[in-house]
Amino acid sequence: MNKGKMLYEGKAKKVFESENPDLLIVSYKDDATAFNGEKKGTIVGKGVVNNKTSNLLMSYLEKKGVPTHFVEQLNDRETLVKKVTIVPLEVIVRNISAGSFSKRYGVEEGIVFDTPTLEFSYKNDALGDPLINEYHIIALKLATKAELDTIRDYSFKVNEELKKFWAERGVTLVDYKLEFGRLPDGTIILADEISPDTCRLWDSKTNKKLDKDRFRRDLGGVEEAYLEILNRVTK
Ligand code: 5GP
């Protein structure tokens, strides 16, 4: 499948037309950003790790009944995906306190919740992706009530399946961000990526961070952590 015109270049991926108008080619970059683009850098090999990890996780979820945009991995960095209109929401599920949750509520990292939490951010770089509630989402017509119900159900289903998947590989799924899209007929499917860029993943024995927090917080060993995740995911 040949790449056509580039349609979009984001912080971590480029998106190209494919030979099929219903499908796009996503190309994963090594560029890394954090804090709404304020911190920039490169994580060598990240594009390969994220491409392969996301594809394995999406295929796994698809088998478990969560529809995704994944079609076919083309090479180490490129994947064929279904074309969707992205719902402009970041859906964040948390099992353990960390990151902005800890900061916002003044609690330490590592509190294991009895039940997972779910929150939405409005995907809008100019506004810094503010938190948004379901009433505001509906008022702004970002998604309908029915779409939100579907998104919530899929997000928790993803949590149940991925918690198990990672636990079998000695990794604790702390939190993650999902994005959803609409197919031309309106069907909601999981889109974007699921990778160490978009999840917090801790080694189950040591709680060592194996995700983008190593880059965000200058913890060192960033490339090694990404490779470790790829090793475990392919186990
Ligand atoms: P937090 O809100 O604590 O910063 O992030 C919660 C989870 O969502 C983390 O796993 C984080 O990686 C992911 N996440 C939240 N916002 C973004 C974002 O804009 N980009 C990426 N790649 N991940 C995000």
Side-chain angles (χ1 to χ4, degrees):
M1 178 75 73
N2 289 317
K3 284 206 296 273
K5 196 172 78 177
M6 187 171 82
L7 298 176
Y8 169 80
E9 176 160 12
K11 293 171 201 152
K13 298 187 282 292
K14 292 179 188 169
V15 180
F16 297 87
E17 284 179 339
S18 75
E19 290 159 10
N20 180 332
D22 297 328
L23 305 177
L24 298 174
I25 295 171
V26 175
S27 178
Y28 286 75
K29 306 192 287 183
D30 285 352
D31 298 353
T33 62
F35 312 120
N36 202 14
E38 271 171 47
K39 183 180 170 117
K40 289 192 173 72
T42 301
I43 302 173
V44 177
K46 173 173 86 80
V48 175
V49 172
N50 287 2
N51 184 38
K52 292 183 176 176
T53 303
S54 192
N55 292 343
L56 280 160
L57 295 177
M58 294 244 182
S59 311
Y60 178 80
L61 290 169
E62 193 86 50
K63 284 192 205 111
K64 302 289 180 182
V66 179
T68 78
H69 72 166
F70 175 69
V71 177
E72 184 192 355
Q73 184 168 302
L74 299 175
N75 55 53
D76 274 2
R77 286 181 185 271
E78 293 177 342
T79 292
L80 197 60
V81 298
K82 291 178 191 160
K83 187 176 186 171
V84 292
T85 312
I86 289 284
V87 178
L89 296 173
E90 294 189 341
V91 187
I92 295 166
V93 177
R94 300 179 192 268
N95 295 304
I96 298 176
S97 64
S100 70
F101 182 96
S102 291
K103 201 168 163 200
R104 188 175 321 118
Y105 301 118
V107 296
E108 75 268 30
E109 287 199 347
I111 303 166
V112 180
F113 303 144
D114 291 341
T115 50
T117 70
L118 181 128
E119 73 212 36
F120 299 99
S121 291
Y122 176 25
K123 256 175 78 73
N124 185 317
D125 281 342
L127 298 176
D129 298 343
L131 274 180
I132 189 165
N133 72 30
E134 298 194 20
Y135 293 97
H136 296 165
I137 292 169
I138 291 165
L140 291 171
K141 296 192 165 42
L142 303 179
T144 65
K145 170 87 175 59
E147 286 176 334
L148 277 179
D149 290 343
T150 303
I151 287 173
R152 196 182 319 103
D153 288 350
Y154 285 156
S155 298
F156 284 128
K157 170 83 173 153
V158 167
N159 196 43
E160 287 318 303
E161 298 301 344
L162 290 192
K163 263 197 314 192
K164 265 186 274 168
F165 179 94
W166 284 117
E168 285 164 10
R169 290 158 178 82
V171 175
T172 304
L173 179 61
V174 174
D175 58 26
Y176 56 91
K177 184 257 305 180
L178 302 176
E179 294 186 22
F180 291 86
R182 293 180 192 99
L183 289 172
D185 70 357
T187 306
I188 293 282
I189 64 172
L190 187 59
D192 194 52
E193 68 178 278
I194 313 176
S195 72
D197 268 17
T198 63
C199 304
R200 284 198 174 90
L201 302 166
W202 295 353
D203 179 89
S204 304
K205 285 207 186 86
T206 63
N207 277 351
K208 182 179 172 186
K209 297 181 197 309
L210 298 173
D211 56 60
K212 198 174 166 190
D213 271 353
R214 301 206 75 80
F215 168 78
R216 294 187 186 106
R217 303 179 189 186
D218 294 321
L219 299 176
V222 187
E223 277 90 0
E224 292 80 355
Y226 275 73
L227 281 177
E228 179 64 28
I229 285 299
L230 183 58
N231 278 337
R232 300 221 196 164
V233 91
T234 48
K235 248 189 200 168

